[in-house]
Amino acid sequence: MNSPARVTIKDVAARAGVSKGAVSLAFNHKPGVSEATRERIFEAARELGWAPNLTARSLSSQRVDIVGLALCRPARLLGLEPFYMDFISGIESVLADRSCSLLLRLVRDLDEEIDLYKTWWRSQTIAGAILVDFHENDPRVPSLQSIGLPAVAVGHPSLTGTFPAVWTDDATAAAEAVRYLAALGHRRIARVGGPVGLGHSAIRAAAFAATMRELGLQEGRQIATGYDGKEGARATRSLLLAADRPTAIVYDNDIMAVAGAGVAAEMGFVVPDDVSLLAWDDSQLCRITHPTLSAMSHDVHHFGTEVARTLFAVIEGTHTASLQVPTPSLTPRGSTAPAPHGH
């Protein structure tokens, strides 16, 4: 019995109506073909069941089709946090279309992250990187810029140096959260935030404080945490035990807000009659908790796709400016209500 003929790059070129060189340019993510032509080539390859020989490509071009992402957070938290699951799924959706892979590594600190990216880049393990969780005066900026690492930064441009950035307007969103709660009559509003020094947490903290002042409210208490449920629960307990306890609490992620709701119930407080709760990063967790959690919502999957697309533009030399994705918007649900009478 004769074996079926092996599909070749020539077959893909014929199906797409282009030259073999155009197919090579498309799969090596190099300039020279339009986006429409690139997509037509990818579609032809999918229809024929053809994939490039990755070993031969790496030997001939000294390029690999791997994108690096290092996360400085505990593995147990990553597995629980819906934000990064949605974010990574958005990245993967773009990588899959380009026959690329994501190399994900958890690190203990920024020094380890810097060393890891340097190793990956110098050994030609990755074609580029996605940098997340920027700190104020982040040491990754000078260290990784100096080696020429193609990268996209997920963070406000004020934090990311000359790296192209993809970001959300956290300051505007934080101000909207405070104004919404104030409009419900809340005068004592607290915030359970992320780690001290983390850039987007600092931006939210500053906007929260500024909006409280602007509305003539007393300065709301803000507690920094490591983003996990236990710390969110501990912060909530501390706030609700205070003599001047808040009537509304804003959380920097959904895990802490869910934990806070549990603590409130344990202490005999009814949400939202006694205390209103508002989470950042809307997720399924917010929708299945009782009562359902009001949240600052944005399309995290889309955020991930825009980050991946921007990185490929950087690698291909076609990227020109940082990109602001839509600002998180308020989704009111059952966990927020007018402030209790007498407060």
Side-chain angles (χ1 to χ4, degrees), residues 44-160:
R46 283 193 290 268
E47 290 172 356
L48 294 172
W50 180 84
N53 185 318
L54 297 181
T55 302
R57 286 174 63 195
S58 62
L59 289 173
S60 63
S61 66
Q62 295 301 303
R63 290 287 301 278
V64 292
D65 294 309
I66 298 174
V67 168
L69 171 60
L71 295 176
C72 187
R73 55 184 57 211
R76 59 181 175 76
L77 180 58
L78 181 64
L80 293 171
E81 195 169 30
F83 174 87
Y84 269 113
M85 295 300 99
D86 284 348
F87 180 68
I88 290 172
S89 74
I91 294 170
E92 289 281 13
S93 69
V94 175
L95 298 186
D97 285 344
R98 292 171 172 262
S99 300
C100 294
S101 300
L102 180 68
L103 180 56
L104 175 65
R105 182 75 59 83
L106 302 182
V107 294
R108 289 165 294 188
D109 53 42
L110 293 181
D111 288 338
E112 183 180 350
E113 183 175 339
I114 290 169
D115 289 342
L116 177 64
Y117 278 127
K118 286 181 175 180
T119 299
W120 279 349
W121 179 238
R122 288 167 178 162
S123 63
Q124 299 182 333
T125 301
I126 60 173
I130 296 169
L131 308 177
V132 300
D133 288 341
F134 274 80
H135 292 244
E136 297 171 301
N137 302 313
D138 198 297
R140 291 173 295 177
V141 173
S143 295
L144 299 181
Q145 284 175 341
S146 68
I147 63 171
L149 174 68
V152 59
V154 180
H156 192 276
S158 65
L159 303 166
T160 60

Side-chain angles (χ1 to χ4, degrees), residues 8-14 18-26 41:
T8 67
I9 190 173
K10 182 178 178 181
D11 299 320
V12 175
V18 299
S19 67
K20 290 193 295 182
V23 176
S24 179
L25 288 173
I41 291 168

Side-chain angles (χ1 to χ4, degrees), residues 172-207:
T172 295
E176 182 184 0
V178 173
R179 290 195 180 98
Y180 164 69
L181 293 169
L184 290 175
H186 293 279
R187 295 295 175 263
R188 295 200 300 272
I189 305 169
R191 173 177 168 270
V192 178
V196 173
L198 195 59
H200 64 262
S201 188
I203 288 171
R204 294 177 193 178

Side-chain angles (χ1 to χ4, degrees), residues 18 22 25-26 30-42:
V18 299
L25 288 173
K30 292 183 177 178
V33 293
S34 69
E35 194 59 33
T37 300
R38 193 187 308 275
E39 290 302 320
R40 191 166 76 249
I41 291 168
F42 289 161

